[in-house]
Amino acid sequence: MIENPEDYSATVRPEVFEDMLQEAPFGICLVNTDFSVEFYNETWQRLFSARLQENSSKNLLEIWPEAAVQLRKLAEQLNQSESKAESEILPFNSGENGETATFKIWMRPVTKDGVFLHYSLVAFNISGLQMMRYKGQQEEERLRLATESSDTAIWDLNLTTHEIDYSDSLAQIFGYSPGEIVTHEQLRSHLSEHDRVNVVDKAFERALETGIYRYEAHITDRNGVDKWIFTNGKLFNDQHGKPERMLGVLQDITERKKSELRLQQSHHQLNTAMDATNLGMFEMNPETLEKYNFSPRFLEIFEYDPENEKIDTHIFERHIHPEFRHVRVEALHTAQETGDLYYQTKIILRNGKEKWIELYGRLSPGVEGRKAYIAGTIRDITELKNYQEKLSASEKKYRFLADVMPQAVWIAEPDGRVNYFNKFMLNYTGMSFNELIDNHGWLQMVHVEDQPKNMSRWLHSVKTKEPYFFEHRLRNAQGEYRWFMSRAFPETDEAGSVTKWLGTSTDIDDMKRQEMQKDDFIKMANHELKTPVTTIKGYVQLLKKTRGDSPDKFLVNSLNTIEKQVNKLSSLIGDLLDISRIETGTLPLNMRDLSLVELVTETVEDIRASEDCHQIICNLKHSEDIEVYGDKERLTQVLNNLLTNAIKYSPRANRVFVEIFIDGNDAVVSVEDFGIGIDAAECAKIFGRFYRVSGDDEKTFPGFGIGLFIVQDILQRHEGNIWVESEKNKGSKFYFSLPVKATNF
Ligand code: ADP
């Protein structure tokens, strides 16, 4: 065994060294201080062959001029008592294989017994090495760029010291500025308590087992901004298998999370909507018509057990009711053109039960490798269909009933367009259904004089939703007109909106004619009665004038009684005439400004003159005069009527109170008696035509029951009002009000 290399070298023959030197895988060259070449080996010669061929010089600096500066520098270093100098020499075309090469040069002094002999140069072609290193740098740069630009940070955690190395973008994700030093603990403090314990620590435990460290967690960065991060790392153990460090990337995935959340929300909304509408979902291959991806509700509708049963991809073909096959085929055909699939069909379940379903599908074009498909929904509409069937059955029944009815029945839309008339109307008018309903065609059969009012009354009801009542003349198929009373009532839904108008038109022609005859009779009777009564009145007055102071008491009393009764008679005749005028709307009013106080006092005075049983006490509560706009004669008639009633219906009392006062914008006159009074139930009715309170008392009080009817009409036409407060056997207080002329305020 050789213990000393010196000894070893002594044993080796010098040719061996020379061979070794010549064939060494690096170039060796001995130069003098002026870089003249003393020796080079074969490798050197090969490396520099091109240069050596074209250059006869023996000086290395001339052979290799581009390295001259560096070579001199190396020599200088050695002169400054360094034993070895090394350098990378600029690349040059060595000529070895025509490529540019880079050399690493080691330079040493060669001495013998302390005397400098040469410089030895060892040249090593490092081109391959350098390329690798260069490539490595590029990779790193590329990685850095890739990671820094996509919100991806790199980190390296020492598991023993917990020191963490990270790229700038990691600091930025956590809200720190680039370059700021942050500890691992600090970074952890940005995690929510929940995620630190349940997500990150758990992920670490998993990493200890699997070597993979991966999690998504929620952080609040240093500026208080909420973010989501994703970490993907790897665990490295030391040579003893103990976890040593962890390397990984960290990404800001807030945007992705947000859109995931939005997606989740819209999925949730969609599902909720689907649940609410009870829609079942499926998908279908538009070419093969195979169905798949059935939702639980879909299977529920078909009464399949989604857990335990395999569903046929041709479920519709299997269950569709044979009578509806063509409906489906047609719908599929249309879907090919429009992309929309829609049909309603009956299906037969496995237990024989039948159901109605409505199917809707839309073609989704194939994207990103996914084939085109139809996304579809189905809805169980059995109940709806049954209801519709029942409804149409009952509608049929009612239409039939309406048709056999001996009066006109019609239905109108909420906007007033009539869309149905029963047979009676078609037969009566001789018009066709369409003639009647198109463009308010029914108006043609209304008498031309009634048309404008008819239309405005109908449109008024449509607008206000108030019931409609109207008397008009309708032309029959023979061209004759008959009077009809038309009525319509709105039918409303739960929200109070009109869904339709239900109308009837009743033939009241006979009644109307009788009434007209009655009116004619009254008019005629009135006229015929008026003449004799006026004559009697004239003679009585003449007699009173000439014989009024006669000592014959009987004569005087008789004359007074005749005068009183004739006055009553003439007022009754007047009332009868008024009532027919009111009904025909021809009661004339002679409107002008007048003093209400004066009117009341005069009327009261007149009554007082002919009345000796009752004292009429007048109380003017308003200090000034009250001006109103009206017909003096008619308003006098109003008060007169109330006063005579008060006297008539309080035979046992001896006082009647009259008051005048102002209430808001109205002047109010009240007449109070202490007589028989009126039942609360009757109070509203006494203003009706010919209404008289039924009871024993009334029989003893003569009258027609038309006075208050006329009074109310007169007041309404003055935009006034009348009402009563009364108590049976205590007395009544009648009020009437009139709008006050603005100058009174
Ligand atoms: P008439 O007095 O001619 O019967 P009106 O129209 O004046 O007709 O009155 C209608 C009904 O109202 C009367 O029949 C009577 O029953 C009741 N009525 C009117 N005024 C009074 C009153 N002051 N007290 C009690 N009942 C009255």
Side-chain angles (χ1 to χ4, degrees):
M1 191 179 139
I2 298 156
E3 271 149 25
N4 190 337
E6 294 274 320
D7 299 341
Y8 176 71
S9 63
T11 60
V12 180
R13 284 179 294 125
E15 320 86 82
V16 176
F17 279 115
E18 183 153 347
D19 283 353
M20 220 172 73
L21 219 60
Q22 288 295 357
E23 286 158 26
F26 40 82
I28 302 170
C29 172
L30 289 179
V31 292
N32 299 316
T33 44
D34 62 350
F35 285 93
S36 53
V37 179
E38 278 296 321
F39 166 82
Y40 47 77
N41 68 350
E42 283 173 16
T43 312
W44 183 280
Q45 190 191 7
R46 217 170 33 249
L47 288 174
F48 288 87
S49 61
R51 296 286 178 102
L52 292 173
Q53 272 168 24
E54 66 194 32
N55 206 317
S56 55
S57 169
K58 290 260 181 251
N59 192 302
L60 185 61
L61 298 181
E62 282 166 24
I63 296 168
W64 197 7
E66 58 267 56
V69 177
Q70 301 248 18
L71 291 170
R72 282 214 181 88
K73 226 187 232 168
L74 293 176
E76 248 169 59
Q77 278 177 21
L78 293 178
N79 291 343
Q80 283 160 12
S81 76
E82 286 183 34
S83 59
K84 185 176 79 177
E86 59 184 72
S87 166
E88 277 173 31
I89 307 289
L90 279 171
F92 88 121
N93 191 335
S94 69
E96 189 184 21
N97 50 17
E99 280 176 10
T100 306
T102 306
F103 288 94
K104 180 151 181 136
I105 299 286
W106 288 267
M107 198 165 163
R108 277 171 178 254
V110 180
T111 54
K112 192 167 168 80
D113 305 327
V115 179
F116 173 84
L117 294 177
H118 307 286
Y119 290 124
S120 78
L121 287 162
V122 173
F124 196 80
N125 186 344
I126 57 159
S127 303
L129 254 182
Q130 203 192 26
M131 195 50 83
M132 269 162 62
R133 198 181 306 159
Y134 174 68
K135 275 196 182 149
Q137 270 173 7
Q138 264 191 336
E139 281 299 324
E140 204 179 297
E141 180 66 6
R142 211 181 291 153
L143 183 66
R144 193 183 64 78
L145 283 174
T147 56
E148 298 286 306
S149 60
S150 61
D151 288 334
T152 305
I154 313 169
W155 52 266
D156 182 351
L157 176 69
N158 183 323
L159 293 175
T160 324
T161 61
H162 288 282
E163 271 168 26
I164 187 164
D165 255 355
Y166 49 84
S167 61
D168 281 349
S169 51
L170 186 125
Q172 277 168 341
I173 291 172
F174 281 80
Y176 296 86
S177 19
E180 208 170 328
I181 309 287
V182 195
T183 65
H184 181 233
E185 207 38 49
Q186 256 175 312
L187 292 174
R188 273 174 63 86
S189 73
H190 288 284
L191 287 159
S192 71
E193 173 73 23
H194 173 272
D195 283 8
R196 194 165 49 233
V197 178
N198 296 298
V199 179
V200 180
D201 291 352
K202 289 240 167 79
F204 184 75
E205 279 166 29
R206 266 198 313 276
L208 292 179
E209 284 169 26
T210 62
I212 305 288
Y213 183 53
R214 187 175 287 168
Y215 66 82
E216 284 182 7
H218 179 239
I219 63 161
T220 307
D221 82 359
R222 201 172 52 164
N223 308 316
V225 180
D226 281 340
K227 287 180 179 170
W228 278 92
I229 55 165
F230 166 66
T231 283
N232 190 7
K234 211 169 153 88
L235 184 83
F236 293 94
N237 294 330
D238 64 10
Q239 66 263 45
H240 309 294
K242 204 174 140 254
E244 187 185 27
R245 58 193 280 234
M246 243 193 215
L247 262 178
V249 291
L250 184 143
Q251 273 179 303
D252 180 347
I253 53 158
T254 314
E255 279 313 308
R256 194 193 83 203
K257 270 282 173 189
K258 273 189 191 158
S259 43
E260 260 177 29
L261 211 69
R262 278 195 292 270
L263 200 67
Q264 251 177 25
Q265 272 171 350
S266 52
H267 260 282
H268 179 71
Q269 278 165 357
L270 183 69
N271 285 340
T272 319
M274 288 290 185
D275 284 350
T277 50
N278 261 335
L279 288 176
M281 288 187 284
F282 69 97
E283 285 171 29
M284 180 169 100
N285 181 329
E287 282 158 25
T288 64
L289 303 184
E290 278 176 308
K291 284 93 189 162
Y292 49 92
N293 279 352
F294 305 103
S295 75
R297 174 66 192 146
F298 180 101
L299 297 166
E300 208 179 292
I301 292 173
F302 276 83
E303 297 186 10
Y304 273 85
D305 176 0
E307 304 277 304
N308 304 314
E309 283 185 282
K310 194 168 160 357
I311 313 302
D312 190 344
T313 56
H314 289 281
I315 189 161
F316 284 120
E317 290 86 329
R318 178 187 278 266
H319 287 285
I320 193 161
H321 193 294
E323 282 174 21
F324 288 85
R325 286 207 178 110
H326 70 282
V327 176
R328 177 170 171 269
V329 172
E330 279 160 26
L332 286 167
H333 194 70
T334 319
Q336 276 177 349
E337 286 161 18
T338 62
D340 280 332
L341 177 65
Y342 176 80
Y343 61 91
Q344 290 188 346
T345 178
K346 257 188 186 173
I347 51 168
I348 306 174
L349 303 183
R350 289 174 298 180
N351 57 13
K353 199 164 101 184
E354 290 185 4
K355 270 187 182 177
W356 270 99
I357 59 159
E358 181 183 64
L359 184 143
Y360 179 70
R362 172 162 282 188
L363 185 73
S364 296
V367 276
E368 290 177 3
R370 192 181 170 173
K371 279 193 155 187
Y373 68 101
I374 287 183
T377 59
I378 59 161
R379 193 159 67 101
D380 183 347
I381 52 163
T382 315
E383 262 182 45
L384 188 82
K385 279 280 174 187
N386 287 346
Y387 177 71
Q388 275 174 357
E389 268 166 26
K390 267 193 210 144
L391 204 71
S392 81
S394 89
E395 200 183 318
K396 262 188 213 148
K397 194 167 81 193
Y398 283 110
R399 268 178 203 267
F400 175 74
L401 266 179
D403 281 345
V404 295
M405 252 173 29
Q407 69 164 348
V409 176
W410 43 275
I411 300 171
E413 302 272 344
D415 64 4
R417 275 178 298 125
V418 181
N419 59 15
Y420 169 78
F421 281 105
N422 68 343
K423 275 226 174 81
F424 176 91
M425 203 57 140
L426 307 185
N427 292 343
Y428 176 81
T429 58
M431 288 167 81
S432 75
F433 188 78
N434 286 342
E435 278 172 336
L436 280 169
I437 62 166
D438 287 346
N439 266 331
H440 295 299
W442 55 268
L443 204 58
Q444 289 170 28
M445 64 170 171
V446 176
H447 195 288
V448 70
E449 284 172 17
D450 302 337
Q451 278 181 10
K453 205 165 174 201
N454 192 159
M455 203 55 192
S456 76
R457 283 291 290 275
W458 174 231
L459 294 179
H460 172 80
S461 284
V462 167
K463 199 171 141 198
T464 59
K465 302 180 199 171
E466 283 170 14
Y468 160 79
F469 296 99
F470 194 64
E471 284 182 14
H472 46 182
R473 283 160 284 179
L474 304 182
R475 193 183 54 221
N476 65 16
Q478 291 74 41
E480 296 154 359
Y481 285 94
R482 288 181 69 82
W483 280 96
F484 276 79
M485 171 70 193
S486 287
R487 300 181 183 85
F489 294 90
E491 193 183 84
T492 51
D493 61 15
E494 281 157 14
S497 309
V498 174
T499 51
K500 58 168 151 317
W501 288 85
L502 296 170
T504 56
S505 300
T506 315
D507 186 334
I508 54 162
D509 199 68
D510 294 342
M511 214 169 81
K512 194 85 180 168
R513 274 180 214 287
Q514 279 168 12
E515 214 167 276
M516 275 173 349
Q517 277 167 4
K518 183 197 76 193
D519 287 345
D520 289 347
F521 168 77
I522 289 173
K523 257 187 236 161
M524 194 188 67
N526 183 59
H527 184 73
E528 295 298 320
L529 286 170
K530 230 176 173 174
T531 327
V533 168
T534 319
T535 317
I536 298 171
K537 227 173 159 178
Y539 275 101
V540 171
Q541 276 165 5
L542 191 68
L543 271 173
K544 267 186 90 178
K545 234 182 209 170
T546 51
R547 302 274 192 278
D549 48 359
S550 159
D552 185 347
K553 280 261 172 353
F554 176 71
L555 176 73
V556 175
N557 282 348
S558 301
L559 279 177
N560 281 339
T561 311
I562 294 170
E563 189 186 33
K564 224 173 177 178
Q565 294 306 325
V566 166
N567 280 344
K568 249 187 201 165
L569 192 60
S570 103
S571 124
L572 276 175
I573 294 167
D575 278 359
L576 273 179
L577 184 66
D578 285 349
I579 209 158
S580 69
R581 281 169 168 174
I582 287 172
E583 273 161 12
T584 52
T586 53
L587 184 77
L589 286 184
N590 179 16
M591 303 294 276
R592 60 187 172 87
D593 292 342
L594 56 97
S595 156
L596 186 66
V597 176
E598 201 180 288
L599 184 146
V600 172
T601 14
E602 278 174 16
T603 317
V604 167
E605 281 308 317
D606 273 1
I607 299 268
R608 273 180 188 152
S610 60
E611 174 60 43
D612 26 46
C613 299
H614 288 77
Q615 195 190 352
I616 301 172
I617 301 147
C618 215
N619 180 7
L620 187 65
K621 284 188 162 177
H622 188 70
S623 54
E624 287 153 47
D625 194 10
I626 301 168
E627 200 174 312
V628 292
Y629 182 67
D631 181 325
K632 189 168 181 194
E633 208 177 308
R634 290 295 171 192
L635 292 177
T636 307
Q637 186 184 350
V638 167
L639 184 57
N640 214 17
N641 225 309
L642 296 182
L643 282 169
T644 46
N645 272 356
I647 291 163
K648 183 162 78 174
Y649 294 106
S650 64
R652 278 187 275 274
N654 53 9
R655 282 187 308 172
V656 170
F657 286 108
V658 176
E659 280 177 0
I660 312 173
F661 59 92
I662 293 281
D663 180 20
N665 294 343
D666 290 333
V668 185
V669 179
S670 70
V671 177
E672 186 177 14
D673 67 64
F674 303 93
I676 62 164
I678 310 160
D679 249 3
E682 309 281 353
C683 280
K685 298 181 188 165
I686 54 171
F687 301 102
R689 193 168 66 149
F690 303 122
Y691 191 86
R692 308 207 68 227
V693 176
S694 56
D696 299 338
D697 287 347
E698 281 68 32
K699 290 200 182 103
T700 59
F701 299 105
F704 281 158
I706 53 175
L708 289 180
F709 175 72
I710 296 168
V711 161
Q712 190 184 40
D713 185 78
I714 293 172
L715 287 169
Q716 275 171 0
R717 295 178 60 186
H718 280 79
E719 283 163 22
N721 224 335
I722 180 155
W723 67 100
V724 62
E725 289 166 2
S726 184
E727 206 178 320
K728 196 83 181 146
N729 300 325
K730 289 263 170 67
S732 314
K733 192 168 181 178
F734 282 82
Y735 297 84
F736 73 87
S737 67
L738 288 166
V740 181
K741 290 263 306 178
T743 46
N744 290 299
F745 297 100

